[in-house]
Amino acid sequence: MGFGGSDEGYRRPSGRVTSSKIVIAGGFGVGKTTLVGSVSEITPLTTEAIMTSASASVDDLAGVPGKSTTTVAMDFGRITIDQDLILYLFGTPGQTRFWFMWDELVRGAIGAIVLVDTRRLADCFAAVDFFEHRGLPYLVAVNCFDGVQLHQLEDVREALAVGAQVPVIPCDARSRESTKQVLITLVEYVLKMRRGAVAPSR
């Protein structure tokens, strides 16, 4: 069945286009802005600021030595999945001092992507816990920097202690096709949960 199909919550009875909200979260410098920019069919709205020496004592730059900007509010993009489903993408800021914004950003979302850099795996624990606590469906997307998958996906699942039903998939945040497939996988997962085919993650 197509994503619109006849499933309530994604296709209105009139057959008009339905829009849904997806949140992209993860640690600082994991690639959230890149992901939104690679897949958005509109020029993405970003709220990036130049990093200064004042932030060096606050933001851990280990593992992201080339990073010179940071998201201070959100990233926003849009993609049409099929003829009757449009996804609006909201990327969260990664630094802990901006986490107070997450509650507002996830309001009304149908699901979330936790983007992971396995070199800094601990940075995504907070995002996993956040979505688990709120009961929001999510998947884990392992960003393969330079096209290299450093660890087996099941090893990542075990390290994050996420349930077997939560999708853990590889992605390249720079690739439109790769990130689009991540979004499709999330929508399919949400549909299965709503039909009761998949149990809640915890």
Side-chain angles (χ1 to χ4, degrees):
M1 184 187 75
F3 295 114
S6 60
D7 199 291
E8 294 182 1
Y10 289 90
R11 184 185 179 96
R12 297 172 184 149
S14 63
R16 292 179 297 174
V17 172
T18 297
S19 61
S20 296
K21 179 179 181 180
I22 300 292
V23 173
I24 297 98
F28 172 62
V30 76
K32 300 181 294 295
T33 299
T34 300
L35 187 152
V36 173
S38 72
V39 78
S40 179
E41 62 196 15
I42 61 172
T43 300
L45 168 67
T46 62
T47 55
E48 290 207 312
I50 300 296
M51 298 184 67
T52 66
S53 58
S55 69
S57 61
V58 180
D59 299 321
D60 181 9
L61 298 179
V64 284
K67 189 169 178 60
S68 61
T69 61
T70 184
T71 299
V72 296
M74 68 174 186
D75 300 310
F76 173 77
R78 184 189 73 194
I79 180 174
T80 302
I81 294 297
D82 69 4
Q83 63 182 356
D84 57 6
L85 177 59
I86 295 175
L87 298 181
Y88 290 99
L89 312 177
F90 290 77
T92 66
Q95 303 96 313
T96 56
R97 67 182 184 276
F98 295 124
W99 285 356
F100 69 92
M101 304 174 63
W102 283 28
D103 281 317
E104 288 301 319
L105 287 176
V106 302
R107 193 182 304 276
I110 64 165
I113 295 167
V114 177
L115 192 61
V116 170
D117 177 355
T118 55
R119 300 169 300 182
R120 296 159 54 100
L121 195 61
D123 289 357
C124 72
F125 288 167
V128 170
D129 290 343
F130 182 89
F131 298 128
E132 290 277 4
H133 181 70
R134 284 157 182 77
L136 185 68
Y138 71 93
L139 62 71
V140 174
V142 179
N143 195 5
C144 299
F145 290 86
D146 299 320
V148 178
Q149 183 178 318
L150 298 177
H151 302 280
Q152 296 296 317
L153 297 179
E154 285 308 307
D155 291 338
V156 175
R157 180 190 302 280
E158 182 177 351
L160 295 177
V162 298
Q165 71 280 9
V166 175
V168 178
I169 60 177
C171 80
D172 182 343
R174 304 165 301 176
S175 165
R176 175 178 172 82
E177 288 306 312
S178 179
T179 53
K180 183 176 180 180
Q181 187 56 52
V182 171
L183 293 166
I184 291 172
T185 301
L186 177 61
V187 171
E188 290 175 338
Y189 177 55
V190 172
L191 284 172
K192 289 178 181 178
M193 288 193 67
R194 292 191 174 189
R195 296 176 187 140
V198 177
S201 57
R202 283 183 187 172

